[in-house]
Amino acid sequence: FLIELTDEQKEFQATARKFAVEEIIPVAAQYDKSGEYPFPLIKRAWELGLINSHIPESCGGLGLGSFEACLITEELAYGCTGVQTAIEANSLGQMPVIIAGNEQQQKKYLGRMTEEPMMCAYCVTEPGAGSDVAGIKTKAEKKGDEYVINGQKMWITNGGKANWYFLLARTNPDPKAPASKAFTGFIVEANSPGIQIGRKEMNMGQRCSDTRGIVFEDVRVPKENVLMAEGAGFKIAMGAFDKTRPPVAAGAVGLAKRALDEATKYALERKTFGKPIVEHQAVSFMLAEMAMKVELARMAYQRAAWEVDAGRRNTYYASIAKAFAGDVANQVATDAVQIFGGNGFNTEYPVEKLMRDAKIYQIYEGTAQIQRMIIAREHVGKYKA
């Protein structure tokens, strides 16, 4: 596992970095205040090839690996994680179709995303089922050549902006049926009759990302839109996470790196007791700790991405990367606010936004606690084998 970036990887990284610094950072605070969806930035990222990087070449995409997606994601998140999350939610929505869709489904639903800037969403979480995916209540009942879907989803990123959804619903009414057979994955057109999109939720951080509840009432979906087969949904939904958790970890690293950079620049300028605060060991040691965490979290996501690109099951590494980077983003952002002192607590300075934005990294795409359950299961399993 050696990290020597190819020329192509360096090019994507540099493009994403330039876009983040020149186009995202200048408007990030305004989007945070207004909560407006950053479609102009998403359109520009699409034009630069920084969105949908892993859509197969057969569907008009770039067919890049998880590693490249992570390099791009870290740079975008450095600019603003609200913008990055809107983009990353596209990857999550597409991933079930990439890993389980047939040729017709891929060409129809992934192909259209390469023709113009559009979004999709991953519709799994419900008001009563987040970490406990098997607790999903949304039902899909087969009627002839269609499935009729009823239920409610919650906290759906891109919920109000998506062209189509990946939706997980229960197709086996038997409550004792195992999760591995009870659920089915569907592709659902967002303009289907019976879909009611809720209001945009105003969250603590990442405010320009579009998060909503969605109600499905007698929504009819053709059987052609079933992914793989009836009963395969849970496995598909969980399989998507192995590929999307490394980029989420990369986003957390991007935020942490931004916090470290802002804190370091401030510590070099701010003077107390007659000298820059960076010359006080109390502050320089904080910066050293922050730097250690950023570097190690980056190595964690790169290992997880490298494993999955090598065709190996990366569940263990993906969860380590997601859990560690999520914690690091929060610790480093909090320390950045501390180094800024009273200014850090004020909205005129950039670090309070970073601190608010960081929290969700310990919650979405599997909480910090769920990651530890997975890591423990995978770790102990090696000794039982």
Side-chain angles (χ1 to χ4, degrees):
F1 165 57
L2 292 168
I3 313 166
E4 180 58 47
L5 300 187
T6 65
D7 288 344
E8 185 191 46
Q9 288 169 340
K10 286 176 187 166
E11 205 176 310
F12 277 115
Q13 189 181 48
T15 303
R17 184 172 296 162
K18 187 171 187 285
F19 174 60
V21 171
E22 293 179 5
E23 301 188 48
I24 298 179
I25 289 175
V27 295
Q30 185 50 44
Y31 276 116
D32 179 60
K33 284 188 182 75
S34 70
E36 191 185 333
Y37 194 69
F39 195 73
L41 290 174
I42 287 168
K43 184 171 182 285
R44 182 77 184 114
W46 183 87
E47 288 165 359
L48 291 168
L50 300 174
I51 298 186
N52 310 327
S53 61
H54 44 252
I55 289 180
E57 290 179 57
S58 60
C59 300
L62 294 169
L64 300 181
S66 181
F67 196 92
E68 288 81 9
C70 285
L71 293 176
I72 292 167
T73 298
E74 181 185 336
E75 299 303 332
L76 296 178
Y78 185 94
C80 172
T81 55
V83 176
Q84 175 261 317
T85 291
I87 290 170
E88 180 54 35
N90 247 22
S91 309
L92 182 57
Q94 292 162 6
M95 200 54 72
V97 183
I98 290 170
I99 63 177
N102 59 37
E103 193 182 346
Q104 190 186 357
Q105 289 167 337
Q106 289 189 352
K107 281 208 158 40
K108 182 175 180 182
Y109 290 100
L110 301 176
R112 69 172 70 161
M113 306 200 86
T114 64
E115 289 159 10
E116 61 179 294
M118 65 171 62
M119 313 312 282
C120 64
Y122 182 89
C123 268
V124 174
T125 300
E126 297 186 358
S131 296
D132 179 17
V133 177
I136 281 173
K137 300 275 191 289
T138 298
K139 290 186 175 67
E141 204 178 336
K142 191 160 193 217
K143 291 192 175 171
D145 285 345
E146 295 180 315
Y147 285 83
V148 179
I149 296 173
N150 283 283
Q152 186 181 356
K153 297 294 180 180
M154 191 60 200
W155 308 120
I156 306 304
T157 305
N158 288 347
K161 306 295 175 184
N163 176 268
W164 55 269
Y165 307 119
F166 165 74
L167 176 104
L168 191 65
R170 178 178 277 276
T171 42
N172 187 332
D174 179 5
K176 292 197 177 113
S180 58
K181 292 179 181 163
F183 301 99
T184 301
F186 297 90
I187 303 167
V188 183
E189 297 273 6
N191 62 1
S192 303
I195 292 179
Q196 296 160 31
I197 295 166
R199 67 183 169 91
K200 174 184 160 70
E201 301 293 336
M202 277 309 280
N203 295 327
M204 172 180 169
Q206 301 195 0
R207 287 179 170 170
C208 66
S209 170
D210 185 83
T211 314
R212 300 177 190 247
I214 304 174
V215 174
F216 295 82
E217 200 173 322
D218 291 334
V219 176
R220 295 181 173 273
V221 179
K223 69 171 197 280
E224 292 79 43
N225 282 29
V226 169
L227 283 169
M228 258 164 85
E230 191 174 300
F234 188 80
K235 191 179 172 196
I236 295 166
M238 295 302 102
F241 283 136
D242 284 351
K243 290 182 183 279
T244 59
R245 277 178 181 150
V248 172
V253 172
L255 185 152
K257 178 72 168 70
R258 174 78 185 281
L260 174 59
D261 283 359
E262 295 289 353
T264 306
K265 285 186 281 189
Y266 185 82
L268 286 162
E269 291 168 9
R270 171 78 169 161
K271 287 190 171 71
T272 63
F273 304 102
K275 59 184 178 182
I277 61 171
V278 76
E279 290 177 23
H280 297 293
Q281 193 182 63
V283 174
S284 65
F285 273 23
M286 280 177 81
L287 291 170
E289 287 283 342
M290 291 157 78
M292 282 157 55
K293 288 170 180 172
V294 170
E295 293 296 332
L296 290 168
R298 183 180 292 119
M299 290 179 79
Y301 87 62
Q302 290 186 342
R303 175 67 191 265
W306 180 78
E307 287 285 337
V308 80
D309 286 346
R312 287 192 285 273
R313 183 171 173 269
N314 74 332
T315 307
Y316 176 70
Y317 293 107
S319 285
I320 286 175
K322 164 69 170 68
F324 186 67
D327 289 350
V328 160
N330 279 271
Q331 292 159 7
V332 172
T334 303
D335 284 347
V337 171
Q338 190 66 27
I339 287 169
F340 271 72
N343 290 338
F345 198 65
N346 184 275
T347 57
E348 293 300 308
Y349 293 82
V351 286
E352 64 84 30
K353 175 182 180 292
L354 297 177
M355 189 171 169
R356 287 186 287 106
D357 287 349
K359 185 59 205 169
I360 193 66
Y361 281 108
Q362 292 175 317
I363 299 169
Y364 65 12
E365 289 226 26
T367 64
Q369 290 68 36
I370 288 288
Q371 304 308 332
R372 282 162 173 78
M373 284 169 63
I374 294 167
I375 295 161
R377 183 187 71 211
E378 295 288 321
H379 171 69
V380 174
K382 291 178 199 169
Y383 290 80
K384 287 181 175 174

